[in-house]
Amino acid sequence: MTNPPRNEPKELFTSTAADYARHRPGIPPEAVSLLVDTVRDADRPALLDLGSGTGQVPAALLPAVPRIDRVDLVDPDQDMLRQAAAALEPLLGGRPAGFHPVAAEGFTPPFDGYRADLITCARSFHPV
């Protein structure tokens, strides 16, 4: 396995966000089931998805865990987050969602007392 060059552009996938959203395989049902099980005891869980890309993890979890109360997506690529926002809008049903255009290590909680019940980082690719 090779490591990506360290000088790759920050927005490497910007021009491919629409294709990424259209062609990227979804989250396997077994993974969704495992994630659903981790929040089975949380009354109104909050989801923090790091390296969200086009929002595949929230898109899989929102229908599976309708009691999710808040979703925060973190990705340095604003084009990916725009795709995620468009895809998730019908699934959110008015629930609050934050779209944070920063790398995972740059994420700061959106408000005092913020707590995520489930933090995911699935299929993300970010050169360091």
Side-chain angles (χ1 to χ4, degrees), residues 18-41:
D19 291 330
Y20 185 96
R22 190 171 33 256
H23 300 293
R24 184 85 166 160
I27 305 301
E30 298 84 4
V32 173
S33 179
L34 177 69
L35 293 171
V36 167
D37 193 45
T38 64
V39 292
R40 72 178 174 274
D41 295 330

Side-chain angles (χ1 to χ4, degrees), residues 41-60:
D41 295 330
D43 183 36
R44 296 173 46 196
L47 168 63
L48 172 60
D49 187 33
L50 303 174
S52 299
T54 57
Q56 292 177 334
V57 170

Side-chain angles (χ1 to χ4, degrees), residues 44-84:
R44 296 173 46 196
L47 168 63
L48 172 60
D49 187 33
L50 303 174
S52 299
T54 57
Q56 292 177 334
V57 170
L61 288 177
L62 284 166
V65 186
R67 66 186 189 286
I68 288 178
D69 192 49
R70 179 181 176 88
V71 179
D72 284 282
L73 290 82
V74 177
D75 198 285
D77 189 318
Q78 290 185 359
D79 213 25
M80 292 283 191
L81 289 177
R82 277 191 284 278
Q83 290 287 329

